[in-house]
Amino acid sequence: MTILVTGAAGFIGSNFVLDWVDQSTEDVISIDLLTYAGNLENLSSLNNNPHHHFIKGNIGDRDLILNLLKKYQIRAVLNFAAESHVDRSIHESKDFMETNIVGTFNLLESARSYWNDLDQNLKQDFRFLHISSDEVYGSLDLTDPPSNESDPYKPNSPYSASKAASDHLVRAWFQTYKLPVFTVNSANNYGPYQFPEKLIPLCILNALNGKPLPIYGDGQQIRDWLYVKDHCSAIREVLKQGHIGETYNVGGSNEKTNLEVVKTVCVILDKLKPKSDGKSYFDQITFVKDRPGHDRRYAIDASKLERDLGWRPQETFETGLRKTVLWYLENDAWMNHVVSGQYQDWVQKQYS
Ligand code: NAD
Ligand code: DAU
């Protein structure tokens, strides 16, 4: 059997594919449009692996997707492909609507068309797993309980609104057509191969280059942090034994303010890569203009996943963050390749 992974050259998609090839006997077809966020270097260790094939393409290309589904007799589609960066969605949201909403719609239609024509056994085994975000639940107050799967959707950014729309499409394709779907809503991921536009890799990169560590507003916004490999294991568990049509929240129970996160990165760097002048990386922390509509707090109640499927995260924030910082220190060539012209344009636009 073979699975199709979309957005496979991105941060979470590539971590998922690498883990899958390590742990499963099923082959993987990876597809990715290779936008600025897609990086084939993430998958380079699979270059000569006969159990993995990469295809450059758009999830919105129905003919391409349908042909791939048929050619490789795909038994599960995992949809990681998306425009994923909130700040970019604030500057310009067109691509977010096109990929996250229209792209997901087209992918669902390709999957439905393929699934409809499968014979009974293959039809029964087919799954469509959609990767989404805790941001769809909107911002929580400090005293609110963490978001659970039955909470209402209240997205606040163009990014989260587009993800919320895609979740609704997935739900509707189950309710209306009985397409066997799951949706996984995850907290903030961190770990290897994350593009340095996101808080943690951006701060590691800037710290090492002696640049400011930009904290939006007062830095008291809270996120729930999940090590990417724990997200991948949750997705594998849902695919294996999830209940069709259900939504599962995934979180690390690691609520931290942004300031705490950046300070912890500094503490780890001070130990692993002390500055030659004897000073701390703390000195580089700089408060900058806030993100418009900045959500104050996200927190995820992952008890359904733990109770129903027995999943637990393996990493604490401290162990996961240490591994992450070490990975970036040991993979400076990866970072140097990523920090290309397009990346510099973004930094200029956002932080100047
Ligand atoms: P990412 O931006 O690193 O990767 C997204 C990938 O999708 C890129 O490789 C990009 O080239 C590809 N892509 C974009 N448009 C495409 C299209 N039309 N067709 C095919 N490929 C396309 O994002 P990520 O952080 O790896 O996130 C993966 C998924 O997980 C997204 O759906 C995101 O919304 C969701 N998510 C991310 C986080 C997080 O903290 N990073 C948390 C929760 C949910
Ligand atoms: O919660 C899940 C979401 O997490 C995913 O759905 C998104 O795809 C993913 O990008 C992430 O969104 P955030 O906006 O939370 O991630 P980001 O790393 O951009 O920012 C994390 C927090 O840090 C947020 O409160 C904004 C703040 N921040 C971010 C940057 C880039 C700063 O203070 N300074 C910065 O320079």
Side-chain angles (χ1 to χ4, degrees):
M1 303 300 288
T2 304
I3 63 166
L4 178 75
V5 175
T6 77
F11 162 48
I12 308 176
S14 61
N15 274 285
F16 181 84
V17 169
L18 293 172
D19 286 1
W20 183 273
V21 171
D22 240 17
Q23 299 178 22
S24 168
T25 52
E26 281 180 296
D27 289 1
V28 185
I29 305 301
S30 287
I31 176 166
D32 197 295
L33 189 56
L34 297 181
T35 67
Y36 78 93
N39 183 354
L40 271 183
E41 212 172 319
N42 300 2
L43 299 172
S44 60
S45 61
L46 302 178
N47 277 350
N48 296 313
N49 190 317
H51 300 292
H52 177 253
H53 296 287
F54 177 83
I55 290 124
K56 180 174 187 283
N58 193 326
I59 55 166
D61 183 340
R62 280 203 209 179
D63 291 341
L64 170 71
I65 301 287
L66 190 55
N67 284 337
L68 290 177
L69 292 171
K70 286 181 181 164
K71 179 174 171 190
Y72 293 102
Q73 291 206 318
I74 297 295
R75 76 106 183 153
V77 174
L78 291 100
N79 183 29
F80 293 86
E83 288 293 334
S84 69
H85 190 33
V86 174
D87 294 316
R88 284 184 194 257
S89 82
I90 294 168
H91 283 279
E92 171 60 67
S93 58
K94 186 164 170 280
D95 289 348
F96 289 74
M97 304 308 144
E98 275 170 4
T99 285
N100 300 2
I101 306 178
V102 182
T104 302
F105 157 67
N106 281 312
L107 188 66
L108 282 164
E109 280 296 78
S110 304
R112 184 167 76 91
S113 162
Y114 167 71
W115 175 73
N116 268 335
D117 290 344
L118 287 175
D119 69 33
Q120 207 44 42
N121 283 345
L122 293 175
K123 201 169 183 173
Q124 242 172 23
D125 288 344
F126 183 79
R127 301 286 183 269
F128 184 104
L129 194 155
H130 179 61
I131 318 299
S132 193
S133 168
D134 61 358
E135 300 204 8
V136 299
Y137 299 116
S139 190
L140 298 172
D141 288 335
L142 278 181
T143 51
D144 287 335
S147 303
N148 69 48
E149 290 82 354
S150 44
D151 282 353
Y153 273 29
K154 291 182 185 165
N156 292 320
S157 71
Y159 162 73
S160 55
S162 70
K163 291 300 287 186
S166 69
D167 293 7
H168 291 320
L169 292 174
V170 172
R171 178 188 157 85
W173 261 240
F174 169 67
Q175 294 291 344
T176 305
Y177 306 112
K178 304 292 170 240
L179 186 73
V181 305
F182 308 114
T183 299
V184 171
N185 293 87
S186 163
N188 280 61
N189 285 218
Y190 65 99
Y193 301 113
Q194 187 167 30
F195 193 82
E197 64 189 352
K198 308 281 166 63
L199 181 67
I200 290 178
L202 177 91
C203 284
I204 298 171
L205 176 68
N206 282 11
L208 296 174
N209 288 325
K211 293 188 176 156
L213 312 182
I215 306 277
Y216 296 164
D218 62 4
Q220 294 307 309
Q221 303 81 7
I222 293 171
R223 298 291 182 265
D224 176 1
W225 293 93
L226 176 68
Y227 189 60
V228 64
K229 301 282 178 193
D230 282 327
H231 188 189
C232 295
S233 72
I235 292 168
R236 289 197 302 275
E237 224 38 70
V238 171
L239 188 61
K240 195 158 108 197
Q241 45 161 345
H243 301 290
I244 290 172
E246 293 280 320
T247 294
Y248 294 92
N249 281 354
V250 197
S253 299
N254 286 312
E255 285 188 55
K256 308 277 174 207
T257 67
N258 293 336
L259 196 55
E260 279 176 295
V261 169
V262 176
K263 282 184 171 171
T264 313
V265 168
C266 292
V267 169
I268 298 173
L269 278 173
D270 280 341
K271 280 203 194 109
L272 296 180
K273 184 106 181 158
K275 285 167 80 158
S276 52
D277 60 7
K279 291 187 175 162
S280 167
Y281 290 97
F282 273 49
D283 299 346
Q284 288 166 238
I285 291 177
T286 309
F287 290 87
V288 300
K289 193 162 92 84
D290 207 353
R291 171 187 280 176
H294 198 172
D295 283 340
R296 202 67 186 162
R297 173 176 171 239
Y298 304 136
I300 271 287
D301 175 352
S303 56
K304 176 176 169 182
L305 189 61
E306 298 188 8
R307 193 179 54 242
D308 292 4
L309 308 187
W311 173 87
R312 299 254 183 302
Q314 296 300 303
E315 301 292 343
T316 64
F317 185 64
E318 287 66 30
T319 60
L321 194 60
R322 193 169 189 283
K323 280 187 183 177
T324 302
V325 174
L326 256 180
W327 187 88
Y328 283 97
L329 288 174
E330 286 165 359
N331 289 275
D332 53 339
W334 180 91
M335 191 61 109
N336 291 339
H337 296 162
V338 167
V339 182
S340 64
Q342 228 190 357
Y343 171 78
Q344 296 302 348
D345 293 347
W346 166 250
V347 171
Q348 188 64 22
K349 190 175 189 178
Q350 174 73 357
Y351 298 100
S352 64

